């Protein structure tokens, strides 16, 4: 982001609409992009279209989102603090590396077998198979929603 002493500039960019009567819609999209995208993507320029499924999720009821997160990744969110472990970080890196166990283990500076053990433990806790695309999408969406609902909101959904 662009920084000056004590400040950062972040730009949210809504979709282009050829009709001027859609200016308000583009503005609302830009606000959503700033609110959600900066915390998820960490970029100073966030396009509404780049938010993916989060642009739909943002308008949902907060309680429904919290329930979804709890039902999907709640056991993992409870496990780490109770067992002084860091399975969540392992999961995030594993997903970031598209399930490439070697690259994820290298990034985490752990042995491949250690990561395999952690992924198996995560799968048991969440009752998922992280080799199945539908399970990956479900878990990834819940992780993004968890990050989204953990950020302060000035306006918009919820």
């Amino acid at each position: 982001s662009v920084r000056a002493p004590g400040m950062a500039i972040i730009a949210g960019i809504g979709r282009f609409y050829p009709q001027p009567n859609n200016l308000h819609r583009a503005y609302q999209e830009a606000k959503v992009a700033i609110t959600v995208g900066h915390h998820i993507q960490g970029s100073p320029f966030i396009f509404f279209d780049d938010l993916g499924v989060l642009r739909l999720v943002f308008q949902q009821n907060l309680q429904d989102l919290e329930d979804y997160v709890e039902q999907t990744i709640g056991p993992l969110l409870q496990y780490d603090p109770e067992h002084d472990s860091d399975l969540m970080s392992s999961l995030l890196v594993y997903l970031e590396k598209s399930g490439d166990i070697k690259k994820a283990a290298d990034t985490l500076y752990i042995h491949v077998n250690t990561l395999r053990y952690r992924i198996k433990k995560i799968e048991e806790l969440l009752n998922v198979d992280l080799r199945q695309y539908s399970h990956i999408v479900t878990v990834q969406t819940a992780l993004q929603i968890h990050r989204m609902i953990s950020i302060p909101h000035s306006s918009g959904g919820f």
Side-chain angles (χ1 to χ4, degrees):
S1 58
V2 179
R3 298 197 185 269
M7 68 185 294
I9 297 173
I10 302 165
I13 301 142
R15 291 180 284 181
F16 172 76
Y17 296 97
Q19 299 84 13
N21 61 334
N22 286 322
L23 182 60
H24 179 71
R25 185 174 183 184
Y27 173 71
Q28 294 302 322
E29 292 170 356
K31 285 178 26 180
V32 169
I34 288 173
T35 303
V36 176
H38 178 66
H39 297 283
I40 301 299
Q41 297 175 355
S43 170
F45 301 102
I46 301 99
F47 291 86
F48 179 76
D49 283 340
D50 291 345
L51 296 179
V53 73
L54 290 182
R55 52 187 249 209
L56 301 173
V57 170
F58 186 74
Q59 299 302 324
Q60 300 303 308
N61 175 283
L62 179 59
Q63 186 61 54
D64 291 340
L65 295 175
E66 288 173 344
D67 290 347
Y68 181 79
V69 168
E70 179 59 34
Q71 292 166 4
T72 308
I73 61 170
L76 181 59
L77 294 171
Q78 292 175 348
Y79 186 89
D80 274 349
E82 289 175 2
H83 295 87
D84 195 30
S85 63
D86 202 11
L87 294 178
M88 182 64 78
S89 291
S90 297
L91 176 61
L92 292 171
V93 171
Y94 177 77
L95 293 173
E96 177 185 298
K97 300 299 178 186
S98 302
D100 186 321
I101 200 96
K102 172 87 171 90
K103 286 182 182 178
D106 289 347
T107 300
L108 292 165
Y109 301 105
I110 60 175
H111 193 275
V112 172
N113 289 338
T114 302
L115 183 57
R116 281 192 182 105
Y117 168 80
R118 290 180 184 178
I119 296 302
K120 180 147 182 64
K121 182 66 178 175
I122 291 165
E123 289 176 328
E124 290 170 2
L125 284 168
L126 303 182
N127 195 29
V128 297
D129 180 348
L130 291 175
R131 294 168 297 174
Q132 290 188 18
Y133 182 72
S134 62
H135 291 189
I136 292 168
V137 170
T138 299
V139 170
Q140 182 67 32
T141 301
L143 289 167
Q144 289 183 327
I145 292 170
H146 175 64
R147 282 192 288 188
M148 184 179 76
I149 63 179
S150 299
I151 59 176
H153 292 70
S154 58
S155 63
F158 313 138

